[in-house]
Amino acid sequence: MTQEMPGVPAHEVVARLGPALSARARVRAVAMLVLGLAGAVFVTALWWTEPGPLPVRTQVGFALLSAVCLAWAGYGSWLLRRKVPLFAADQVVAAWIGLVASLATSALLVVVTVQRGAGPWAPLLVGAALTVVAATLLVRARRRRAALLRRERELTARDLETP
Amino acid sequence: MSDELLVVRAQLGDRSALEELVARWQTPVWTYVRRMLDAQRADDVAQDAWLAIVRALPRLREPERFAPWLFTIVRRAVANHLRDRYASRTHQTVRDLDDLDPSDTLSDTALHDPIGGLLDRAEAVAHLADLPVPEREVLVLHYLEDLSVADCARVCDVSVGTVKSRLHRARRLLRERLEEKGMEA
């Protein structure tokens, strides 16, 4: 009897996975998450440090802008968890981008709040929290990659020893 | 190169390792899907399964247990497909493959049509379509995909004892079908 075989060849299966594996998809998802979070933190800081009572329409505007930024961040996070695979090297790069973005956002927050006459402690605390989270993600990503590289070396050596 | 090494390289971001992994496991994945569904839908569902596999691959923590992990995802893809099909046809709720009727997964024409029905192994494979889904599934995983009973249990999310009893029942049913055919002949 002839063996029944898949109707789609392997290279075609890989080609159809292209959109999910593309660098563009990964960059877009990471950018949405980072920019969305940074935007939400920045807009919220501007809102809180506004001198004097704000009209209701302005308050609604700030709230909407923060919500839009959070929605983008949520969408980026969902893409990274469900749709776009981030392999070990990508995770390290994404974590570095997150760390740089959190440091830049923190610096901007401090400058803006001090210029507006508010104390620097609140933005410093928020910035520190953001930076700690980003740094933790970076350490985890580097550890994971190092563990995989170590395992790859062990397995390669084992493969070479096997006749 | 071992599967585990390929998986680790793919997890590190090596695209060629990922492509080799797909090439190596494409036929086993497709064979499982094909035994559960008809030929028309097997290619599409196998492709959906591969997309889910690639998306989940960075989160796989035990690369040495790639095969059972892979078939768990493929099984879910088949169940999702059948659930959608049931929902659109009968609005009946299907929670798992165990709830399905054999006729809804693999039609007789799928196995017996002259073009698509060129079967691979023993004559027994042709009778898989007659088996209930839970029994057919463990039979395919254990005998066609060479998974151990423990791995079958993990893939199907049931106990080892349940897999053994399903295998026993599947063998008995298959033997009965073959005997019936032999008697008719």
Side-chain angles (χ1 to χ4, degrees), chain A residues 39-50 66 109 112-113 116 123:
Chain A
V41 168
F42 188 66
V43 170
T44 309
L46 280 180
W47 187 7
W48 281 352
T49 54
E50 274 292 326
S66 302
L109 276 181
V112 167
T113 46
R116 291 177 157 215

Side-chain angles (χ1 to χ4, degrees), chain B:
Chain B
M1 195 187 295
S2 67
D3 282 338
E4 187 182 354
L5 181 53
L6 272 181
V7 171
V8 168
R9 285 187 176 166
Q11 287 185 315
L12 280 165
D14 183 344
R15 181 73 181 256
S16 62
L18 183 65
E19 289 174 4
E20 196 176 332
L21 202 61
V22 174
R24 188 178 289 187
W25 282 91
Q26 189 210 6
T27 302
V29 164
W30 185 87
T31 302
Y32 171 81
V33 177
R34 176 68 183 87
R35 295 296 162 237
M36 303 306 292
L37 303 170
D38 60 45
Q40 281 181 321
R41 292 173 289 164
D43 286 330
D44 288 342
V45 175
Q47 183 72 42
D48 288 347
W50 275 115
L51 190 58
I53 290 162
V54 164
R55 280 173 176 161
L57 192 61
R59 294 193 296 276
L60 172 61
R61 295 290 160 182
E62 296 174 290
E64 68 278 13
R65 303 199 41 80
F66 177 69
W69 175 84
L70 175 97
F71 282 109
T72 304
I73 294 180
V74 180
R75 181 179 190 266
R76 202 178 303 141
V78 171
N80 287 343
H81 172 81
L82 293 169
R83 192 179 297 118
D84 292 346
R85 206 161 150 248
Y86 257 81
S88 63
R89 276 187 174 185
T90 63
H91 304 289
Q92 186 175 340
T93 305
V94 179
R95 281 172 301 177
D96 199 7
L97 291 177
D98 298 4
D99 300 333
L100 295 165
D101 188 84
S103 60
D104 286 299
T105 56
L106 192 62
S107 63
D108 281 348
T109 52
L111 281 173
H112 296 299
D113 85 66
I115 301 167
L118 303 171
L119 300 177
D120 55 355
R121 291 206 177 180
E123 193 180 355
V125 172
H127 291 276
L128 283 176
D130 303 328
L131 297 183
V133 174
E135 280 73 17
R136 189 197 315 164
E137 182 180 40
V138 291
L139 209 63
V140 170
L141 289 172
H142 189 60
Y143 289 108
L144 297 184
E145 306 293 1
D146 295 326
L147 291 192
S148 67
V149 169
D151 284 345
C152 290
R154 188 174 165 165
V155 170
C156 301
D157 198 20
V158 294
S159 68
V160 168
T162 304
V163 171
K164 283 180 181 169
S165 66
R166 284 180 184 177
L167 276 174
H168 177 73
R169 189 172 135 78
R171 281 192 295 261
R172 183 171 55 77
L173 287 170
L174 207 53
R175 198 180 307 120
E176 285 171 10
R177 301 284 190 281
L178 289 169
E179 281 171 3
E180 279 170 19
K181 198 188 173 195
M183 284 170 72
E184 282 167 16

